[in-house]
Amino acid sequence: MTPIRGKRAVVLGGAGFVGSWLCERLLADGAQFVLAVDNLCTGHEQNLASLRADPRFDFLNHDVTGPIPVTGGVDFVFNLASPASPRDYDRLWLETLRVGSLGTQHALELAEAKHAVMLQASTSEIYGDPHVHPQVESYFGNVDATGPRAVYDEAKRYGEAIVQGFRRKRGVSTRIVRIFNTYGPRMRLDDGRVVPQFVAQALRGQDFTIYGDGLQTRSFCFVADLVDGLVRLACSNEMDPVNIGNPDEKTMLEFAEAVRTAAGGGGKIVHLPLPPGDPKQRRPDITRARTLLGWEPRVPLVEGLRQTIEYFRSRA
Ligand code: NAD
Ligand code: UDP
């Protein structure tokens, strides 16, 4: 019996990549009711296709920068609503600031009204271009408040601040997860992030576009592992931020070769200019997740890439 059995959850951003996996996981764990709320600005109803026949599931097309109308009891509010890829939040810059500020406030007000636990999807971008490596939760970060990533990074930093405000001043039971780069089926092929970019290039036999020298690093976590961490954190009593990510760190050059091997294709490496503000290194310290939640990533890159490539192949 998991702690989710019989519980009622609202997933803001539920039609997105991570949100749709979370809805699926909550229902598989025996949730009594799951409501996905999404305005579909970067998500897609198709992501929820497998859940539509489940009487315990519902979808509300709604922008969470306005108050969120939910009837009946709620045990958990998961706030995942926000554009998440650099290409998306550059295009939707004002929407990103609004959803990170107003949207997070409405998520907290919903949780307060329902006496629910509120889990905030924060990000490794809180650490900016980090000087501390790997990144521990106690590191305050190195964030450029006016750079091209600022609309996202500062919205997420404000998000953590308002979550702590509602916790301290209004007694709301809150959780903050700092999510590191996550990948898997249902990422959008055109969202510009490196995983769909390289997979698409491999499947089409195109050159791999490496930004800069390719020595910058990221650590990629498979989405099922992330979602397991979200559920564990929501069901814990841990109110301070917790990193969830896979510490398996790769340069982008190494990552392109891993995708080439997994997909069995792709052209040569071509170098394009590095976008300004692109963090040079990123790897989570997951000591807190390990000790507080008993959480570990389980899916190795080879297996996660296999599933991701299969998904993109089936949609090509
Ligand atoms: P995504 O774009 O696939 O999902 C975000 C969802 O939020 C989309 O369905 C979008 O339509 C919805 N949304 C955005 N603004 C909204 C609004 N105003 N009202 C209602 N819905 C709105 O992105 P994702 O990768 O699934 O990311 C989910 C969350 O996790 C985001 O908050 C993101 O910042 C965070 N995160 C993700 C990663 C990652 O690697 N995927 C890393 C760090 C943090
Ligand atoms: N990147 C790349 N080629 C691409 C897309 C991205 O080399 O076609 C690099 C990008 O510059 C960054 C890394 O891959 O250093 C991860 O980019 P992504 O947009 O996936 O996530 P983020 O930078 O937000 O971690």
Side-chain angles (χ1 to χ4, degrees), residues 163-174:
V163 165
Q164 291 298 63
F166 269 75
R167 166 194 169 185
R168 292 200 185 101
K169 305 291 186 186
R170 309 255 283 252
V172 177
S173 184
T174 58

Side-chain angles (χ1 to χ4, degrees), residues 171-221:
V172 177
S173 184
T174 58
R175 314 283 184 267
I176 295 175
V177 55
R178 291 187 181 152
I179 302 172
F180 283 64
N181 296 66
T182 300
Y183 71 100
R186 297 199 209 118
M187 293 187 95
R188 273 190 5 256
L189 205 53
D190 65 348
D191 85 359
R193 287 186 270 195
V194 71
V195 176
Q197 288 272 107
F198 284 2
V199 169
Q201 288 160 355
L203 293 180
R204 293 170 184 153
Q206 295 169 342
D207 294 343
F208 292 102
T209 53
I210 299 257
Y211 299 162
D213 60 12
L215 297 178
Q216 72 271 37
T217 66
R218 295 293 187 272
S219 309
F220 296 99
C221 183

Side-chain angles (χ1 to χ4, degrees), residues 25-316:
R25 165 71 193 258
L26 294 169
L27 290 166
D29 278 7
Q32 185 194 110
F33 182 65
V34 175
L35 174 66
V37 180
D38 204 298
N39 70 351
L40 305 177
C41 68
T42 59
H44 214 286
E45 263 194 278
Q46 184 60 30
N47 288 339
L48 300 169
S50 67
L51 305 178
R52 293 313 287 258
D54 191 324
R56 299 170 300 150
F57 177 75
D58 205 358
F59 172 67
L60 175 66
N61 187 334
H62 179 75
D63 184 335
V64 301
T65 59
I68 306 162
V70 178
T71 51
V74 176
D75 300 294
F76 295 101
V77 176
F78 292 90
N79 181 26
L80 276 66
S82 172
S85 84
R87 181 181 288 175
D88 285 344
Y89 59 72
D90 184 55
R91 180 174 55 94
L92 298 168
W93 62 274
L94 187 54
E95 290 85 346
T96 301
L97 287 162
R98 284 170 55 80
V99 73
S101 51
L102 293 172
T104 304
Q105 182 175 337
H106 289 128
L108 287 158
E109 286 169 352
L110 175 64
E112 183 178 37
K114 303 289 185 181
H115 306 288
V117 169
M118 189 277 196
L119 180 140
Q120 170 71 356
S122 190
T123 166
S124 53
E125 289 281 331
I126 291 290
Y127 306 118
D129 191 5
H131 293 149
V132 168
H133 193 73
Q135 290 77 57
V136 280
E137 290 88 343
S138 55
Y139 177 47
F140 291 167
N142 173 40
V143 179
D144 177 354
T146 59
R149 291 183 178 233
V151 293
Y152 181 69
D153 297 7
E154 296 298 345
K156 288 288 183 181
R157 288 173 75 87
Y158 174 91
E160 291 202 7
I162 192 172
V163 165
Q164 291 298 63
F166 269 75
R167 166 194 169 185
R168 292 200 185 101
K169 305 291 186 186
R170 309 255 283 252
V172 177
S173 184
T174 58
R175 314 283 184 267
I176 295 175
V177 55
R178 291 187 181 152
I179 302 172
F180 283 64
N181 296 66
T182 300
Y183 71 100
R186 297 199 209 118
M187 293 187 95
R188 273 190 5 256
L189 205 53
D190 65 348
D191 85 359
R193 287 186 270 195
V194 71
V195 176
Q197 288 272 107
F198 284 2
V199 169
Q201 288 160 355
L203 293 180
R204 293 170 184 153
Q206 295 169 342
D207 294 343
F208 292 102
T209 53
I210 299 257
Y211 299 162
D213 60 12
L215 297 178
Q216 72 271 37
T217 66
R218 295 293 187 272
S219 309
F220 296 99
C221 183
F222 189 63
V223 61
D225 281 335
L226 166 66
V227 162
D228 184 49
L230 301 185
V231 170
R232 283 172 189 253
L233 179 59
C235 296
S236 78
N237 292 317
E238 185 49 51
M239 301 238 206
D240 289 326
V242 179
N243 290 337
I244 296 284
N246 190 324
D248 181 14
E249 184 180 5
K250 297 250 177 303
T251 67
M252 290 311 97
L253 285 168
E254 289 167 342
F255 187 61
E257 291 311 325
V259 173
R260 185 199 298 282
T261 306
K268 59 183 184 306
I269 300 281
V270 295
H271 292 269
L272 298 179
L274 185 68
D278 200 289
K280 284 183 273 308
Q281 53 180 358
R282 188 179 288 155
R283 170 156 60 101
D285 181 316
I286 59 167
T287 309
R288 277 172 57 74
R290 273 201 183 105
T291 53
L292 297 170
L293 311 178
W295 179 85
E296 293 269 359
R298 306 221 170 269
V299 182
L301 186 63
V302 175
E303 170 56 21
L305 279 179
R306 191 192 62 74
Q307 292 189 36
T308 308
I309 289 162
E310 196 177 291
Y311 170 81
F312 283 129
R313 208 173 249 141
S314 73
R315 295 180 65 91

